[in-house]
Amino acid sequence: MKLIESSDLFLLVVAHPDDECMFFFPTIVHLASATGGIPFYILCMSNGNYNGLGRQREKEFIKAALVLCIDASNVNIIDDPLLQDNPHVDWDEELVSDRIFRHVQLLLAENGQDKQTNVTIITFDKYGISGHRNHISIYRGVQHLVRNDRRKFQFGGIISMRAICLLSVSSVFQKYVPFVYFMEILWHYRNAKSDTVYHLTSINLVLAWRALSTHQSQFVWYRKLSILFSRYTYFNQLVEIKTTSLLGTQRNKEMMQN
């Protein structure tokens, strides 16, 4: 099953400017080139103001999008006092869920979607790739969103949401040793048959470097090494977030009590 099947809109949700280049580059390359007219957007939940560089990082985020052939109008940054970049703080999952849902509503309104609409949200997994607490908070917020049956659209249509997350790996070898993860890529292409796991690759290192280099405030030596050696520059393994509806769970509890 192809990632682009059965979707009317794609939304990549990241925590900070440069996350899109550091972790989701193969996914962006795939969606920007293969969606066949299906709208693709990126939502950044903060402007990365942990070191007081938020305004600069906002501009860098837009520049990176243009390098990746994404229109500036298709990327948005949230600057909410309750959603500030901080590796030591967990964001409220209901607030994250609400802001994403409101953004999806806005995008559908702009695209004139007034019927049943299938929206695919792509984000981090429960480990947050790098373990950053803001990344993990987004996963929890997206999980909360797709579990809550909040699919009624303000114009009378229905929003059907599915969520897909980028799988983390714990091994340093799997993250940064090319021979290891290229062998893994080869194995997956030969053996993976799942309809809910997607393997996206890119070998366009020049484009990856150009995109990350637009984040000049963050383009330090270890990020340069990361873009050269990290598996996430070349390979994204995505899996659907399987959740049980909160509404359905409540009904089950009521049935058991009766």
Side-chain angles (χ1 to χ4, degrees):
M1 180 178 178
K2 294 181 179 179
L3 178 62
I4 63 172
E5 291 179 355
S6 303
S7 289
D8 301 308
L9 183 148
F10 286 94
L11 177 64
L12 172 63
V13 183
V14 297
H16 319 108
D18 83 0
D19 286 347
E20 79 288 353
C21 297
M22 292 289 295
F23 307 115
F24 294 94
F25 176 73
T27 297
I28 291 173
V29 169
H30 178 80
L31 291 177
S33 62
T35 51
I38 299 174
F40 170 52
Y41 300 89
I42 304 178
L43 176 64
C44 190
M45 298 299 295
S46 80
N47 66 359
N49 196 42
Y50 184 63
N51 293 314
L53 300 173
R55 296 307 174 203
Q56 179 180 347
R57 296 190 69 182
E58 290 177 12
K59 297 176 182 177
E60 293 169 350
F61 183 66
I62 300 298
K63 291 179 180 178
L66 296 175
V67 170
L68 294 168
C69 299
I70 302 170
D71 193 277
S73 62
N74 284 23
V75 297
N76 292 91
I77 296 177
I78 293 175
D79 184 14
D80 188 314
L82 299 177
L83 297 173
Q84 290 297 302
D85 177 11
N86 192 322
H88 310 296
V89 172
D90 295 319
W91 291 340
D92 181 79
E93 65 181 51
E94 291 192 18
L95 176 60
V96 172
S97 174
D98 182 69
R99 295 306 299 266
I100 295 173
F101 185 71
R102 289 174 182 270
H103 190 68
V104 169
Q105 287 183 307
L106 177 63
L107 294 178
L108 294 179
E110 291 177 350
N111 282 278
Q113 299 278 10
D114 58 358
K115 56 180 180 14
Q116 179 166 341
T117 305
N118 298 307
V119 176
T120 297
I121 299 174
I122 302 172
T123 193
F124 304 97
D125 71 355
K126 62 183 178 181
Y127 302 108
I129 309 300
S130 62
H132 198 298
R133 290 169 70 171
N134 298 164
H135 297 181
I136 296 170
S137 296
I138 293 180
Y139 168 83
R140 291 173 179 166
V142 170
Q143 187 182 47
H144 183 272
L145 175 59
V146 298
R147 290 175 61 195
N148 262 296
D149 287 335
R150 291 198 305 169
R151 294 185 276 182
K152 293 291 181 181
F153 184 46
Q154 58 190 356
F155 298 141
I158 301 296
I159 304 175
S160 177
M161 292 191 182
R162 67 168 177 166
I164 295 176
C165 64
L166 173 61
L167 291 183
S168 302
V169 293
S170 57
S171 168
V172 174
F173 294 101
Q174 284 181 288
K175 283 184 179 181
Y176 298 114
V177 179
F179 174 78
V180 174
Y181 56 71
F182 279 129
M183 291 300 294
E184 183 182 348
I185 293 171
L186 181 61
W187 185 91
H188 279 299
Y189 271 101
R190 289 188 174 182
N191 299 284
K193 304 296 182 183
S194 174
D195 286 341
T196 58
V197 179
Y198 310 93
H199 303 98
L200 307 179
T201 59
S202 174
I203 56 173
N204 196 339
L205 179 58
V206 173
L207 180 60
W209 182 276
R210 285 181 56 218
L212 185 60
S213 67
T214 63
H215 294 279
Q216 294 180 1
S217 65
Q218 308 301 304
F219 201 47
V220 292
W221 68 269
Y222 57 86
R223 285 193 174 89
K224 294 176 182 179
L225 288 177
S226 180
I227 204 69
L228 291 174
F229 294 105
S230 170
R231 70 184 276 121
Y232 302 112
T233 301
Y234 309 98
F235 180 43
N236 279 173
Q237 185 178 8
L238 307 172
V239 62
E240 289 198 36
I241 301 174
K242 293 297 184 182
T243 58
T244 301
S245 163
L246 290 180
L247 180 59
T249 301
Q250 182 62 35
R251 286 174 178 169
N252 291 339
K253 289 181 179 179
E254 292 174 356
M255 291 176 64
M256 291 177 68
Q257 291 173 354
N258 295 331

